[in-house]
Amino acid sequence: MHHTTTLLIELGAIILALGLLGRLAGRVGFSPIPLYLLAGLAFGHGGVLPLQASEEFVGTGAEIGVILLLLLLGLEYRASELVSNLKTQYPSGAVDFVLNAAPGAAAALLLGWGPVAAVALAGVTWISSSGVIAKVLGDLGRLGNRETPVVLGILVIEDLAMAVYLPILTALLAGVSLAGGTVTLLISLGTVGAVLYVALRHGRLISRAVSSDNAEMLLVVLGLTLLVAGIAQQLQVSAAVGAFLVGIALSGEVAEGAATLLTPLRDLFAAVFFVFFGLSTDPADIPPVLLPALLLAVATALTKIATGWYAARRAGIHGKGRWRAGGTLVARGEFSIVIAGLAVGVEPRIGPLATAYVLLLVVIGPLTARYTEPLAGRLTRRAEPRVPVTPPAEADAEAVARRGPGANVTVDA
């Protein structure tokens, strides 16, 4: 009974704090994500007010938060759009991998952590946070912008790449034989391929089966998503990728209805996810790794901006949209922490470094999303050479001099 009472008090305090922080962020026109993270640090181990009873509950809520973020991101897409996106954007995905995985791998090797840790840290720096970016795009009202499909296309490629990367990393960390790793990888690829095939061929049938005019649809969609996410995780595919694929499989009115019903639930559990991320970090572990994390954060913020700029340019989007796409991709989050958590057994120092790195970029990400484009515009204007403006009278005199004394010059009254 005492435990239940403590749990209710702690949960009430967390949700109230999240509501107040969200309102404060809304007042100043800023994304609430950094505030949620700082709240998590304050409530976590080594924080000001460590929580005891509700940590396990918050951890489960955080997993649901990531799943709902990816489900609603998937509802924005149709399967046919996804396939055409993959066909047109795979060069951008390759550039994204090279530019953003390389700094992480190089950092691990320079720190003397070995090749397996290098593969893990490459993943930490490579993958942008779909959850954070989806929230930021909504906060800034950019879901309808021309560059947003490009940003989502990069995120989709990254999320699907995780279905290949995570089994490989897990096999490397466990020291599994090549044959065992190959079987795991084939199961992952088969699962993703099967869901995409069903979504393309029978998406309307699935939508019709779950369609309803009332709140029952919420239960059906939510239950289906959690079930598929759990099965995906069991098959070594990320639960987030499973939820994303469910979102893609639903279309038309069902997708719109589900998005309307699930958005408030997503906002609540997404906030819980960001708090849990802070909770799982001991503030005392951060100062020793702050400098390498900061250098890595700055380097990979610039490489992500370059990735977004290149991808938007390939899609025929002009100046401002290119910079907005680049700035939006900077945030790292849920996948980076999952990867670091897997690798901690091989290299314990990767945990605090990844946490500090992600905390920095999850704070910097909403700022770059908002300010990269105006800052780039200002710098471009300063760099442009100024053309002197010639007064009209002098211009006429110059024209006469060029044409010769016999030329007629007409001057408007």
Side-chain angles (χ1 to χ4, degrees):
M1 184 67 187
H2 174 70
H3 177 80
T4 309
T5 307
T6 310
L7 177 66
L8 289 172
I9 291 168
E10 287 186 0
L11 282 176
I14 291 168
I15 294 167
L16 178 62
L18 292 178
L20 294 173
L21 289 171
R23 179 179 281 191
L24 174 66
R27 284 274 170 88
V28 295
F30 188 68
S31 171
I33 293 164
L35 297 179
Y36 293 157
L37 281 166
L38 292 172
L41 280 173
F43 289 134
H45 300 292
V48 184
L49 293 165
L51 300 177
Q52 303 297 329
S54 58
E55 194 172 345
E56 192 178 330
F57 186 91
V58 171
T60 307
E63 285 185 42
I64 294 169
V66 175
I67 287 165
L68 287 175
L69 280 165
L70 271 291
L71 169 66
L72 269 88
L73 195 64
L75 288 171
E76 297 283 334
Y77 265 103
R78 289 182 182 173
S80 54
E81 287 174 2
L82 173 66
V83 171
S84 64
N85 235 323
L86 290 173
K87 283 178 183 172
T88 56
Q89 292 213 47
Y90 71 87
S92 302
V95 167
D96 177 38
F97 170 69
V98 172
L99 285 183
N100 296 290
L109 294 172
L110 286 170
L111 290 165
W113 291 355
V116 176
V119 172
L121 200 57
V124 170
T125 57
W126 169 27
I127 304 296
S128 295
S129 170
S130 302
V132 175
I133 291 167
K135 184 84 171 68
V136 168
L137 285 170
D139 289 344
L140 296 176
R142 289 187 187 168
L143 288 170
N145 281 23
R146 275 196 68 208
E147 75 277 0
T148 298
V150 174
V151 172
L152 294 179
I154 294 281
L155 296 176
V156 168
I157 291 169
E158 287 182 353
D159 289 345
L160 291 176
M162 283 290 94
V164 178
Y165 170 82
L166 285 176
I168 292 171
L169 178 64
T170 308
L172 284 172
L173 292 169
V176 176
S177 66
L178 185 65
T182 306
V183 169
T184 307
L185 181 59
L186 288 172
I187 290 169
S188 307
L189 291 173
T191 307
V192 172
V195 173
L196 280 177
Y197 175 80
V198 169
L200 277 167
R201 295 286 176 185
H202 308 293
R204 285 184 182 176
L205 198 67
I206 296 165
S207 297
R208 209 175 297 144
V210 301
S211 181
S212 173
D213 292 331
N214 54 36
E216 285 169 17
M217 185 171 70
L218 172 68
L219 297 174
V220 173
V221 172
L222 187 57
L224 180 67
T225 305
L226 293 173
L227 184 65
V228 170
I231 293 168
Q233 204 157 29
Q234 201 73 28
L235 294 170
Q236 302 296 316
V237 181
S238 154
V241 172
F244 181 77
L245 293 170
V246 170
I248 289 162
L250 300 173
S251 61
E253 288 179 19
V254 175
E256 289 173 23
T260 306
L261 287 168
L262 287 166
T263 298
L265 207 57
R266 177 204 61 185
D267 291 345
L268 168 62
F269 282 107
V272 171
F273 162 69
F274 296 119
V275 167
F276 181 72
F277 182 52
L279 280 177
S280 55
T281 307
D282 187 341
D285 291 339
I286 292 177
V289 293
L290 202 53
L291 183 61
L294 183 61
L295 293 173
L296 201 54
V298 170
T300 54
L302 294 173
T303 54
K304 274 292 179 187
I305 290 170
T307 299
W309 192 93
Y310 169 80
R313 181 170 168 267
R314 276 196 78 252
I317 289 160
H318 295 292
K320 289 183 176 182
R322 294 176 190 177
W323 290 112
R324 281 196 299 268
T328 304
L329 283 168
V330 167
R332 311 301 202 276
E334 58 277 8
F335 275 132
S336 299
I337 292 304
V338 168
I339 293 162
L342 290 171
V344 163
V346 171
E347 177 49 69
R349 289 169 293 181
I350 204 169
L353 176 68
T355 301
Y357 170 79
V358 173
L359 271 169
L360 284 166
L361 284 182
V362 100
V363 172
I364 293 167
L367 296 174
T368 58
R370 178 171 289 222
Y371 298 113
T372 299
E373 179 257 306
L375 187 63
R378 198 171 297 170
L379 292 173
T380 308
R381 282 196 297 275
R382 279 188 186 174
E384 285 173 356
R386 291 186 179 180
V387 180
V389 179
T390 311
E394 288 179 28
D396 290 341
E398 283 175 19
V400 170
R402 280 198 300 274
R403 293 177 190 175
N408 293 320
V409 178
T410 307
V411 180
D412 292 334

